[in-house]
Amino acid sequence: MEEPFLNHSSKRASGQFDREDWASAYGNVEAELTNISLKASRGKIPTEMNGFFYKNGPGRLERNGHWVHHPFDGDGMISAVQFSNGEVNLTNRFVRTKAWQEEEVLGKFLYRGVFGTQKEGGIMKNAFDVRLKNIANTNVVKLGNDLLALWEAAEPHALDPITLETKGISNLEGTLKKGEAFSAHPRFDPGHYGQKRMVSFGVKTGPKSTIRLMEFEVDGTNSGKLISDRQDTFNGFAFLHDFAITPNWAIFLQNAIAFNPIPFLLGQKGAGQCLSSQKNGRAKFWLIPRNSGTFAGESPRELDAPDGFVFHHLNAWEEGEEIIIDSIYYRDFPSIEPEENFREINFDSIPEGILKRCQINSKNNKVKTTQLSPQCCEFAMVNPRFVGLKGSYSWMASAAKKCGNGPLQSIKKIDLKSNEELFWSCAPRGFVSEPLMVPKPNSNLEDDGWVLVLVWNGCRRGTDLVILNASNLHEEAVIELPLSIPHGLHGTWVAE
Ligand code: CO
């Protein structure tokens, strides 16, 4: 039997890894599997965990010997793992986007990517081609009868939740106009107003930016119905990937970022490579009142935010006059320049994500920022029942080493009250993706449940699904998937 790579008492020093192991995750997903029954390679699959674990991420990274410039430009591929009384089944499908189908037929990239992928044929072939390729690769959520594959600059694609068959682009029952942006980061309000809701947004950007904030019913016969809709316009170019909610507010952090479209138009760079950070207090918090809250109908508020760049927020909540938001900050916008190869990046040369807390005082408009941990992290979440509320725990992916940048190789649980940290690590040869905390049904304990995480196993060059106990991070089961899935993006748990 192969030696388990998940070796907690590794002989190698923590923080050491082989870049070849990490980079080996980047390749095309070669198979589409249907309802394949899987067994645990180690441990026991919890019988109380029933539902679907869905994950989205780039699955097509190369065509005709031509590589994407950045993995974020890879076509969306959805994996679905169904858990049913200890039985496990796997299905995976590429999202049949228009571009994916056209490129499959001709076997080459026909579109430019936002993060720098160019069509074959050099600058002249790319100049003035400003078509967007909706690659549906960022997140996957369930709304009504559809699974939605999300990509923030355009509409979602609807898929069948069981077969993963692509139904087509969805305008969410007439909510979205053709080509309208719809975020890949909806937040699920666990019931701040009685019923569970999905809160999401779309951004139209330019010299002024307009945020459309939308809330949808999630449960019952009206699931998917739009129940709240407002638009607010702000000064400045906005790059908003994520947001956070509390019962009263939708909170956006407008990164201090400038966009120079010229190299994009000239075919030299992808649109995402034309972004650059600005400093000195130009970042802003935009607080938009939710339509069901105390401040419904009021104008948004604008406050200074800390310098740095934020992709993801952990959570936000209200405490008296304060609104508190935890987010992962980079000191600069991390971009991969045209001459760089993403599989050969030097982790030391790019900024790491650091978890920080901002306490926004709604009376005097002062913002106080503190660092919660000096360790590189990403993809943090709370128990889904605590979204928008004050929780005690968070789970996230972190680097193996305690400071500086490195690949994500461990899962960390932070006690947000005592700052105590617990770890599970798959270093040196394993690499984690976003962990999902799944609460145990019928339990009121906040950290009672499991953490699901896809791990790139550098030993066997394949993907493992690891199930951890959410309370103590002990490993409960490891399922070796018959699939090699590149380092992915976001996913969802849908309980049965
Ligand atoms: Co994201």
Side-chain angles (χ1 to χ4, degrees):
M1 195 187 141
E2 207 179 315
E3 189 192 342
F5 77 100
L6 302 165
N7 190 344
H8 296 269
S9 53
S10 165
K11 291 183 199 80
R12 292 191 219 191
S14 140
Q16 278 184 24
F17 70 100
D18 183 342
R19 195 169 61 188
E20 193 52 42
D21 278 342
W22 171 80
S24 67
Y26 289 120
N28 291 333
V29 174
E30 301 289 359
E32 291 188 310
L33 306 175
T34 303
N35 223 16
I36 301 286
S37 171
L38 302 175
K39 296 265 176 286
S41 312
R42 295 199 298 283
K44 197 170 163 293
I45 295 160
T47 52
E48 293 165 278
M49 190 175 69
N50 291 303
F52 282 86
F53 170 54
Y54 293 108
K55 187 85 171 173
N56 199 349
R60 184 88 209 192
L61 299 167
E62 173 269 329
R63 287 189 189 276
N64 196 27
H66 193 75
W67 281 78
V68 294
H69 187 71
H70 192 296
F72 291 176
D73 283 341
D75 299 272
M77 194 282 297
I78 312 285
S79 310
V81 184
Q82 183 182 15
F83 289 86
S84 178
N85 302 314
E87 305 278 312
V88 182
N89 283 283
L90 168 72
T91 297
N92 75 299
R93 285 290 181 282
F94 279 92
V95 185
R96 265 60 178 169
T97 63
K98 177 176 167 283
W100 184 87
Q101 295 182 68
E102 291 168 356
E103 292 181 345
E104 278 291 291
V105 172
L106 292 177
K108 62 177 186 176
F109 290 127
L110 301 172
Y111 292 82
R112 303 172 71 188
V114 168
F115 291 91
T117 302
Q118 302 282 51
K119 297 182 287 183
E120 292 173 52
I123 285 174
M124 289 312 289
K125 273 266 189 268
N126 288 278
F128 306 109
D129 181 355
V130 297
R131 295 175 302 163
L132 278 180
K133 179 185 178 186
N134 182 343
I135 47 177
N137 72 354
T138 314
N139 200 350
V140 53
V141 296
K142 184 143 183 270
L143 184 67
N145 297 320
D146 288 335
L147 200 62
L148 300 176
L150 302 169
W151 184 69
E152 67 195 20
E155 310 105 307
H157 282 76
L159 282 74
D160 181 284
I162 306 286
T163 64
L164 303 185
E165 178 203 339
T166 304
K167 299 177 184 177
I169 279 181
S170 169
N171 63 13
L172 304 177
E173 299 182 13
T175 300
L176 302 177
K177 290 200 283 288
K178 196 174 181 331
E180 186 173 340
F182 189 74
S183 163
H185 274 284
R187 292 276 172 182
F188 286 87
D189 162 350
H192 301 157
Y193 300 102
Q195 289 279 63
K196 206 172 154 184
R197 291 179 178 190
M198 185 177 98
V199 186
S200 195
F201 68 97
V203 195
K204 228 184 325 181
T205 198
K208 282 179 186 284
S209 300
T210 299
I211 299 176
R212 181 178 180 193
L213 186 69
M214 293 160 267
E215 306 204 8
F216 300 86
E217 277 194 33
V218 169
D219 289 329
T221 47
N222 284 330
S223 179
K225 188 176 163 229
L226 182 71
I227 47 175
S228 168
D229 191 5
R230 68 175 277 168
Q231 296 202 26
D232 295 279
T233 300
F234 301 85
N235 284 324
F237 174 85
F239 180 92
L240 301 168
H241 175 68
D242 192 10
F243 77 134
I245 55 167
T246 67
N248 286 314
W249 302 99
I251 305 162
F252 294 85
L253 196 162
Q254 188 214 10
N255 290 295
I257 205 144
F259 178 63
N260 169 13
I262 305 297
F264 169 60
L265 294 172
L266 294 180
Q268 298 158 340
K269 285 184 170 189
Q273 293 170 306
C274 299
L275 299 169
S276 59
S277 285
Q278 301 176 302
K279 289 205 174 1
N280 306 321
R282 291 203 230 173
K284 299 285 177 210
F285 281 118
W286 289 340
L287 272 53
I288 300 179
R290 288 180 64 192
N291 280 353
S292 312
T294 314
F295 311 102
E298 291 186 14
S299 300
R301 302 189 187 174
E302 185 173 314
L303 300 101
D304 290 338
D307 278 344
F309 187 86
V310 170
F311 285 107
H312 296 128
H313 303 288
L314 160 56
N315 195 26
W317 68 94
E318 297 168 36
E319 223 174 311
E321 290 173 356
E322 277 188 337
I323 301 155
I324 295 139
I325 178 165
D326 293 345
S327 318
I328 297 165
Y329 286 80
Y330 295 82
R331 66 175 179 273
D332 206 350
F333 175 69
S335 178
I336 296 178
E337 294 303 313
E339 66 282 359
E340 289 173 320
N341 179 341
F342 74 88
R343 288 163 293 161
E344 292 169 5
I345 58 161
N346 172 8
F347 280 91
D348 294 329
S349 72
I350 48 176
E352 70 270 30
I354 299 290
L355 185 62
K356 294 182 184 179
R357 170 166 298 167
C358 282
Q359 293 164 262
I360 301 167
N361 188 305
S362 62
K363 282 274 170 336
N364 64 17
N365 282 354
K366 288 227 158 62
V367 178
K368 183 183 163 209
T369 307
T370 42
Q371 180 176 296
L372 298 184
S373 164
Q375 189 179 25
C376 168
C377 69
E378 246 307 342
F379 301 129
M381 77 177 293
V382 290
N383 179 321
R385 294 174 195 149
F386 287 80
V387 170
L389 306 172
K390 185 177 183 177
S392 300
Y393 304 104
S394 168
W395 294 262
M396 63 198 70
S398 78
K401 55 185 184 179
K402 292 287 181 192
C403 64
N405 198 17
L408 301 170
Q409 296 191 281
S410 50
I411 300 301
K412 172 157 83 170
K413 177 194 180 195
I414 298 191
D415 181 325
L416 294 168
K417 290 181 173 137
S418 68
N419 273 359
E420 207 179 307
E421 297 181 336
L422 275 182
F423 291 90
W424 172 87
S425 172
C426 56
R429 301 205 68 184
F431 302 87
V432 302
S433 58
E434 174 192 65
L436 272 185
M437 192 276 173
V438 176
K440 187 176 279 183
N442 309 318
S443 171
N444 289 323
L445 291 175
E446 189 182 331
D447 61 347
D448 196 5
W450 305 274
V451 173
L452 298 181
V453 58
L454 291 184
V455 173
W456 178 255
N457 182 331
C459 269
R460 67 175 193 93
R461 299 287 202 253
T463 300
D464 296 343
L465 172 54
V466 177
I467 304 167
L468 305 175
N469 176 309
S471 172
N472 56 23
L473 297 191
H474 288 171
E475 196 178 291
E476 294 209 359
V478 177
I479 305 164
E480 293 182 357
L481 304 185
L483 210 53
S484 296
I485 306 172
H487 304 297
L489 294 166
H490 303 291
T492 305
W493 172 258
V494 178
E496 211 128 78

